[in-house]
Structure formats: structure tokens, C-alpha cells
Amino acid sequence: MERTALVSGAARGIGFEIARVLLEANNYRVLLVDIDPDGGEKAKKTLSERFGSGRVDFIAADVASETEVELAVSRCKSAFGGVSLLVNNAAVRKSSSPADLSLEDWNRVLAVNLTGPFLMSRQCIPMLRASRGSIVNICSTRALMSEPGTEAYSASKGGLASLTHALAVSLGPEVRVNSISPGWINSAGESLSLEDNRQHPAGRVGVPRDVASLVAYLASDQAGFITGQNFIVDGGMTRRMIYVD
């Protein structure tokens, strides 16, 4: 049975790879959503050339805008007939000391990273219930641990982890809701040092496909008994104790 996925933040990086993996599964049509119109159109062209133009569409939208979210979900319904998988991946980050973090930047990070997934989820609920579909939120290990100057980002991702289990309880049993918390994912394909890789218990830094493959599994019927969970994908780094001499 062919399914439809709506993936936000899909112009590049993890979002793009999620879209590609779902299309490779050969039973998904995918609507790409991104605030970057040029990047989104480029992603659509790349995926359409490989998988067929009838299986991929794109709309530029800011997930923090209720109006634009409504337009994006409406586009998915008109193009593909509904939504059976929602992947809330779009996110922004503002790094600043808490003393210097402006209220404008704080609000923007929470609007995109936390309010955005809520708006997208709320708008998709009728179609997800009808299809007995699922939601996968892309969270972060910053929901569990922090670096200096990440107050807004960490708070937004912590909220998203909590939103995940709240939605799972509210929307079950028709809709399953899970989240994935990636650690260091080399989304840009940068050249990394031996130490960068060796510090991970898994022996390497993550790649976007590590996250995308788990999204595909969580959306599948094989994961039918999994809901309300947050899966850490970080090569074991949150389990490693590090001491400084």
C-alpha cells in the first residue's frame, strides 16, 4: 500500500535523507517542506529525477506560521490524498550565553522547534487517524545534555521530547508518536579527524542515514507496538563518562 509522508526541514541534511530513504522504500510519496524555496526546489528536482516526479512535491513554508502550516498540509492532501506519516524535522539554533540571548531569538527557536511540530501535528490529526499513521519528531540529545550557550535549543528539544509522549497518549491507539534524538550527525559530509570518530563508542560520527533508517522503521508496521518513546542515536556518547585531568 502506498503511503504519504510530509517531511519538514527537507531541503538538506537529515530531512533530505529521510525523504530519500522513504522513497527508496518504494511505498511512499513525499511532500518536502522547507523555509528555503531554492533549497527545496533543488531537493525536489534531485529526488524527482531518481524516483519520479509523481512521487515528490515541495512547498516552501515556515512551520512556525499557523497559516503556512495549513497551506502545507492542504498541499499534501491535494497532491497525494492525505498524510500517513508526519516527520517534524525543521529546526533552528541560536547559540548565545543566557545573559546575551535576546527574547526575540529565544521565541524564534521555540516557535520553530516546538510550536512548529505542535502546529503540524494538530493540522494532520484527522488524516493520520484515518490512515492509522504515525508521527516521528526529530529531537536531539540536547534534550538530555547541554553545551554552553544552548539554552533556547535545549529547552525546545526537551519540550519536543515531552510533546512526543503527550501526543502519543492523546492520539493513541490510532496514531503512534515517537521521537529520535540524534547526537553528532555529519550532515554536511565534512572531513573528520580520527579522534572525532574514535571518541564515539560506536567508532564513528553519525551520518543522516542513521537517523533516516530509524524513521522508516518507526513508521512501519513492524513498529506497531512502539509509541511515546524517544530513541537516542548518538553512537553511545550519552553513555560515555568523560573525565578531564
Side-chain angles (χ1 to χ4, degrees), residues 12 59 75 77 152 170 182 198 201:
R12 59 185 59 80
I59 184 170
R75 174 71 162 268
K77 184 177 182 179
S170 295
R198 280 183 173 174

Side-chain angles (χ1 to χ4, degrees), residues 140-230:
S140 171
T141 52
R142 293 301 169 269
L144 308 170
M145 56 194 297
S146 296
E147 297 171 292
T150 60
E151 279 71 20
Y153 187 79
S154 295
S156 70
K157 292 301 186 176
L160 184 56
S162 295
L163 177 64
T164 296
H165 59 69
L167 285 172
V169 173
S170 295
L171 302 182
E174 294 90 352
V175 182
R176 294 183 300 106
V177 188
N178 292 290
S179 63
I180 298 172
S181 286
W184 185 355
I185 304 297
N186 188 12
S187 299
E190 299 172 317
S191 178
L192 302 174
S193 71
L194 192 59
E195 182 55 33
D196 289 335
N197 288 292
R198 280 183 173 174
Q199 69 175 311
H200 290 73
R204 64 174 176 85
V205 173
V207 295
R209 185 160 288 251
D210 293 322
V211 179
S213 296
L214 183 52
V215 171
Y217 172 72
L218 290 174
S220 73
D221 293 338
Q222 291 176 306
F225 195 55
I226 301 173
T227 192
Q229 304 304 309
N230 178 49

Side-chain angles (χ1 to χ4, degrees), residues 92-102 105-106 109-110 113 142 145-156:
V92 296
R93 180 170 179 166
K94 301 284 186 181
S95 296
S96 172
S97 71
D100 297 325
L101 181 64
S102 69
D105 284 346
W106 167 271
V109 172
L110 265 66
N113 299 4
R142 293 301 169 269
M145 56 194 297
S146 296
E147 297 171 292
T150 60
E151 279 71 20
Y153 187 79
S154 295
S156 70

Side-chain angles (χ1 to χ4, degrees), residues 3 8 15-16 27-28 38 41 53 58 60 99 110 115 130 138 140 152 159 167 172 185 195 210 212 215 232:
R3 302 177 180 181
S8 70
F16 177 83
N27 63 340
Y28 275 97
D38 293 335
E41 288 294 348
S53 59
F58 165 70
L110 265 66
T115 303
I138 306 303
S140 171
L167 285 172
I185 304 297
E195 182 55 33
D210 293 322
V215 171
I232 300 172

